[in-house]
Amino acid sequence: MTTTVTAAQQALKPSPPKRSELWKGVPWDWLGLVPFFGFVAVFLVFPALSIVTRSFSDGSGNFTLSNLHSLTNPVITLAYRNTLWVSVITALSGSLLGGLLAWAVTLGGLPRWIRSSVLSFSGVAANFAGVPLVFAFVALLGRIGLLNQLLRPTGLQVDPQRFLYGFWGLCIVYTYFQIPLMVLIMAPALDGLKKEWREAAENLGASQWQFWRYIGLPVLMPALLGSAALLFANAFSTYVTATALLGAIGQTFAVTIVVANQFRTDTFGDPGLGYALAFSMMVVIAITVALYTYSRRQAERWLQK
Amino acid sequence: MSTFQNFNRRRFLQLSALANAGLITWFYGPRVSFAQSNLPAPPPAGPIDLQAAGGMEGLIAAARAEGELSTTALPDDWANYGGMKKTFFSRYNFLKHNDLTPEASSAEEIEQIKANAGNKGPQNPDVIDVGFVWGAAAKAENLLQPYKVATWDTIPDEIKDPDGFWYGNYYGTMAFEVNADAVPFVPQDWNDLLDPRLKGLIAINDPVAGSQNTHSVWAASLADGGSLDQPEKGIEFFKKLAQSGNLVPTGTSPSALVSGELPITLRWDYNALATRDNNANLANIQVIYPKSGTLAGVYLCAINAYAPRPHAARLWMEFVYSDEGQLLWLEGYAKPVRFDDMLKRGVIPQELLAQLPAADVRVEFPSLEQLNTGLQYIRDNWAKEVGITYAS
């Protein structure tokens, strides 16, 4: 196979070449990537760069650090604290509950149809968020919601102030889409746990606990960490769900709402602060994604063997 | 063979990086350096009043020559703007109506003027309808041109620009909107809202997000003989309301109110009355004006300094400020600015007057200065004071 053409060979070629031959060397397969790169440029590179440059510029385009300095405002640090807590709590609860559920349907010895129905349901539920999700929870846990109607004869009542319209409400609602997301990510990883490892461990006299302690969990740990990171990012960047549930005070619970408030028109907002906030969120997400990618790579390395 | 033979992955990435860099430079370069580009000089302002425009017949003839009118941000279901548009454009059916972005906000309307400066096309709005605080700001930026409608003298002085650049058109009064079926008692004044029996029953929308919501907090400043110069009293009141557990930290909606999930909120009376009428067979909605005082929120009309159709714009202004136009707003429960004058002259039909809620309460019209400082104070302090109370 030769890829170089000597001058002599070229001279020997009949000329002019046919049109079809002229286009022979065009790397069509690479051209196929052009729309993708165009898409990335327009919808990822431009917006991201725009956010970074505008974080450091005042209204008239001059360099400034005041936008970043505004991030130390107590309301914003409170919003950050709450957002991080909600993200951590729902990432942990989602990982735990979703992980156990994934384990039950993959290795738990349940009938096949349970596995497929749980996975299909997870595919739907992981994407069920925003206004419809909040509406569903209000219909269930609200002051006049289904649960309170059912509880009425008993005299017990769920207090929506405590369990719905506030910090814990946000945690409960987010967990609804975090669990199925975890199931979707962990099921394939659990499938990758080879039967032979368990058999080998059992033959060598390992107990159930020892198998998980020394083989199962270490193998799964990178995947678990990676999934938890993804869940964290998922909760951290949620906007519509938080707005729909905590419209009146959401700004102290979700950084995304603080960002949106800087651009929503009737607010006399501060776009510079909005860009700086978005930039700070990009940093948090970049760290999380880096952690996720690293863990994922480790997991794949383990499971390939 | 062609030179494309050497086209490999590395080369492709190099080229696309180069292309990206070029695009980025093209995209950001001009933006950053010309961030403060100036608008073109506006054309000379049109006639200042009906006489200068050649009387009603002259104005109609000039509007006919222009042939169309672009309005913006006029939703059909807001203050009966649907009826207003329909009546005007069937009367002057030689005008083609360009009904631009009915859901636009005030700030977006101002942006439309700036973005279309010098543009003669239909997408350039000739007239705007914006929140009261925007008039003076737009005038200061030279985005408006003056015109005094024939009924100018009957528009109260405190809600018009003396030079005619903008003037208030209608207003609503902040009221309690209560689903009487779902509450132990119907609150009649601000302090009633603090009653322990109303625990978990009151909700408002984010005061940072819209002027109706900001005004609902500010109105509470009038409780116990306070004034609109004390927006901090409103914040203080809502802080107490939050601490008492009566204020639910979620936003509300007409459906949540009608269902009884969140049965008490604060809104402009014309929106609350419309919800009442639309749900008459579902719930007993009551619209209550707090006894110790409430405030009025005014919107205003103005003509774009760059209006491509200045005469059609003036014809529109004459119509909405005529008795007939003002009554159309009243049908949508929005109180037209010339209400007192028309009441005095007895031109308001009895059945329209009868459908208005009795309002023997103190209603204050905030001045422009009070508006600017009051609303800004609420926006700056709501999250800090009331929001933090919730979070801790």
Side-chain angles (χ1 to χ4, degrees), chain A residues 3 5 10 13 21-23 25-27 30-31 33-34 37 41 45-47 49-51 53-54 59-61 73-75 78 82 138 142-145 159-161 164-166 244-253 257 261 264-268, chain B residues 1-2 4-5 7-9 12-13 16 20 23-24 27-28 31-32 35-36 105-108 133-134 182 199-201 204-211 245-251 259-263 372 376 379 382-384 386-388 390-391:
Chain A
T3 50
V5 181
Q10 210 144 39
K13 273 183 71 175
E21 278 181 21
L22 193 68
W23 291 98
V26 177
W30 284 103
L31 279 180
L33 275 178
V34 168
F37 277 90
V45 178
F46 281 161
L49 275 173
S50 161
I51 286 169
T53 53
R54 289 172 200 207
S60 44
N73 174 320
V75 174
L78 177 72
N82 281 328
V138 170
R143 210 176 59 80
I144 54 163
D159 180 6
Q161 296 246 56
L164 189 59
Y165 303 124
L245 186 65
L246 298 177
I249 55 144
Q251 46 180 325
T252 52
F253 280 102
I257 297 180
N261 278 346
R264 275 153 76 194
T265 45
D266 276 11
T267 65
F268 288 56
Chain B
M1 301 239 177
S2 83
F4 281 117
Q5 196 75 34
F7 197 95
N8 56 19
R9 182 168 172 272
F12 179 82
L13 291 176
S16 49
N20 273 345
L23 278 170
I24 289 161
F27 195 74
Y28 289 111
R31 285 248 178 133
V32 173
Q36 275 184 320
S105 69
S106 299
E108 283 165 341
V133 288
W134 295 91
K199 187 169 186 307
L201 300 185
I204 60 166
N205 287 317
D206 189 349
V208 178
S211 70
N246 290 9
L247 183 66
V248 184
T250 184
S259 75
E261 173 69 25
L262 301 165
N372 278 324
Q376 193 62 53
R379 287 173 183 125
W382 169 261
K384 203 154 53 191
V386 186
I388 286 178
Y390 278 120

Side-chain angles (χ1 to χ4, degrees), chain A residues 13-19 21:
Chain A
K13 273 183 71 175
S15 61
K18 279 185 206 152
R19 179 173 282 261
E21 278 181 21

Side-chain angles (χ1 to χ4, degrees), chain A residues 193 211-222 224:
Chain A
L193 272 187
F211 167 75
W212 281 107
R213 169 71 184 78
Y214 294 105
I215 298 165
L217 280 179
V219 168
L220 287 178
M221 193 47 75
L224 279 169

Side-chain angles (χ1 to χ4, degrees), chain A residues 105-180:
Chain A
V105 298
T106 50
L107 303 175
L110 294 169
R112 192 85 195 156
W113 64 268
I114 293 191
R115 176 197 161 103
S116 54
S117 53
V118 164
L119 288 183
S120 327
F121 175 76
S122 297
V124 177
N127 292 302
F128 186 52
V131 178
L133 178 66
V134 170
F135 182 79
F137 268 91
V138 170
L140 179 70
L141 297 177
R143 210 176 59 80
I144 54 163
L146 184 66
L147 196 57
N148 275 340
Q149 303 290 1
L150 292 175
L151 285 175
R152 199 155 299 244
T154 69
L156 295 169
Q157 289 286 282
V158 175
D159 180 6
Q161 296 246 56
R162 187 167 303 161
F163 297 109
L164 189 59
Y165 303 124
F167 181 84
W168 292 109
L170 215 51
C171 289
I172 291 171
V173 174
Y174 280 17
T175 306
Y176 179 87
F177 56 73
Q178 297 280 50
I179 292 174

Side-chain angles (χ1 to χ4, degrees), chain B residues 60-124:
Chain B
I60 290 173
R64 188 190 294 272
E66 289 168 349
E68 55 182 356
L69 175 69
S70 295
T71 62
T72 181
L74 303 183
D76 287 344
D77 57 357
W78 179 283
N80 194 26
Y81 252 126
M84 182 78 79
K85 290 186 288 190
K86 206 172 135 208
T87 314
F88 177 80
F89 285 101
S90 56
R91 168 94 30 93
Y92 303 107
N93 54 14
F94 51 84
L95 287 177
K96 179 174 169 276
H97 184 204
N98 308 311
D99 200 359
L100 309 173
T101 53
E103 303 302 329
S105 69
S106 299
E108 283 165 341
E109 294 181 62
I110 302 296
E111 277 311 309
Q112 282 175 7
I113 295 184
K114 290 183 184 171
N116 287 297
N119 185 339
K120 297 285 174 207
Q123 69 272 47
N124 195 358

